[in-house]
């Protein structure tokens, strides 16, 4: 059996990783195909259908304080949360990968300056920056993707930089230099592809962290404004009515956030085993 098949078998033996993939697939179906099965109006309010409990005809999970169907809102909010999480996670991974690969490959003063920038960025809480930018600018999906991506690239940059330092002394990189190959070719064709394991594993954690950041900002009231919503905004809207017994306004969204983040983290753990050369058996 080849090494790739053995690695795939190790991944499939990780039940949490398989559970994570199945969970994410089900969430994608629920959020993006669900509205076709259960269409609802998530733009216009319906004050005649306010605070209906779960099980009401036409509203399996009830309605919220302005008459929006909670199940339909859960689907729409999931679309935005997952979209922002995936896009911001990918953006952060791309920026961090290039930054770390260049810093580690070039070394010297360039490496020192670039990594001091990373250290300074890590010292500033991402949530704090997001709150400030949300207060200054009108929140939108593209803006939140860019902002979260631009505050989340620091960790992958450090990881890839550590890999790059060891890879730049490998024979194939030295041979490329001896043949007059460009630095950009060395970084893009040799350094980055050989850090793919670290990149892919970290990308799953970046997506999970981005989804949590969206929820944090929205929960604090600085996220997307109605009628747009995400899972964090649903928590904010429903928490006022929690003590009145309207549990259906917060538990479904909270459950989706926790389950989605745990699923991405489980996939990351499984991918770590997949790319772990040292842990593979012969």
């Amino acid at each position: 059996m080849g090494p790739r098949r053995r690695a795939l078998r190790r991944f499939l033996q990780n039940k949490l990783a398989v559970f994570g993939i199945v969970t994410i697939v089900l969430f994608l179906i629920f959020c993006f195909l669900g509205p076709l099965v259960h269409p609802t109006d998530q733009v216009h309010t319906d004050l005649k259908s306010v605070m209906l409990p779960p099980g009401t005809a036409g509203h399996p999970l009830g309605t919220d304080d302005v008459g929006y169907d909670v199940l339909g809102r859960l689907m729409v909010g999931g679309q935005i949360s997952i979209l922002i999480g995936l896009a911001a996670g990918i953006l952060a991974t791309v920026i961090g990968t290039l930054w770390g690969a260049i810093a580690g490959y070039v070394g010297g003063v360039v490496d020192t300056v670039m990594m001091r920038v990373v250290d300074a960025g890590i010292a500033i809480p991402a949530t704090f920056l997001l709150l400030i930018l949300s207060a200054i600018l009108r929140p939108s999906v593209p803006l939140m993707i860019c902002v979260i991506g631009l505050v989340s690239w620091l960790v992958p940059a450090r990881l890839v930089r550590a890999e790059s330092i060891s890879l730049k002394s490998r024979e194939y990189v030295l041979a490329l230099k001896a043949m007059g190959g460009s630095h950009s070719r060395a970084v893009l064709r040799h350094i980055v592809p050989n850090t793919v394991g670290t990149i892919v594993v970290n990308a799953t954690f970046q997506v999970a962290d981005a989804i949590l950041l969206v929820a944090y900002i929205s929960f604090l009231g600085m996220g997307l404004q109605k009628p747009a919503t995400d899972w964090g905004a649903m928590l904010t809207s429903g928490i006022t009515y929690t003590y009145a017994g309207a549990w259906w306004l917060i538990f479904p969204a909270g459950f989706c956030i926790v389950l989605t983040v745990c699923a991405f983290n489980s996939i990351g753990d499984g991918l770590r085993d997949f790319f772990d050369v040292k842990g593979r058996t012969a």
Side-chain angles (χ1 to χ4, degrees), residues 105 175-186:
Y105 175 78
L176 177 65
K177 290 180 180 179
M179 293 186 294
S182 64
H183 296 310
S184 60
R185 181 179 177 85

Side-chain angles (χ1 to χ4, degrees), residues 99-116:
W99 189 279
I102 293 172
Y105 175 78
V106 176
V109 178
V110 174
D111 177 38
T112 301
V113 173
M114 293 179 72
M115 296 316 296
R116 293 300 75 77

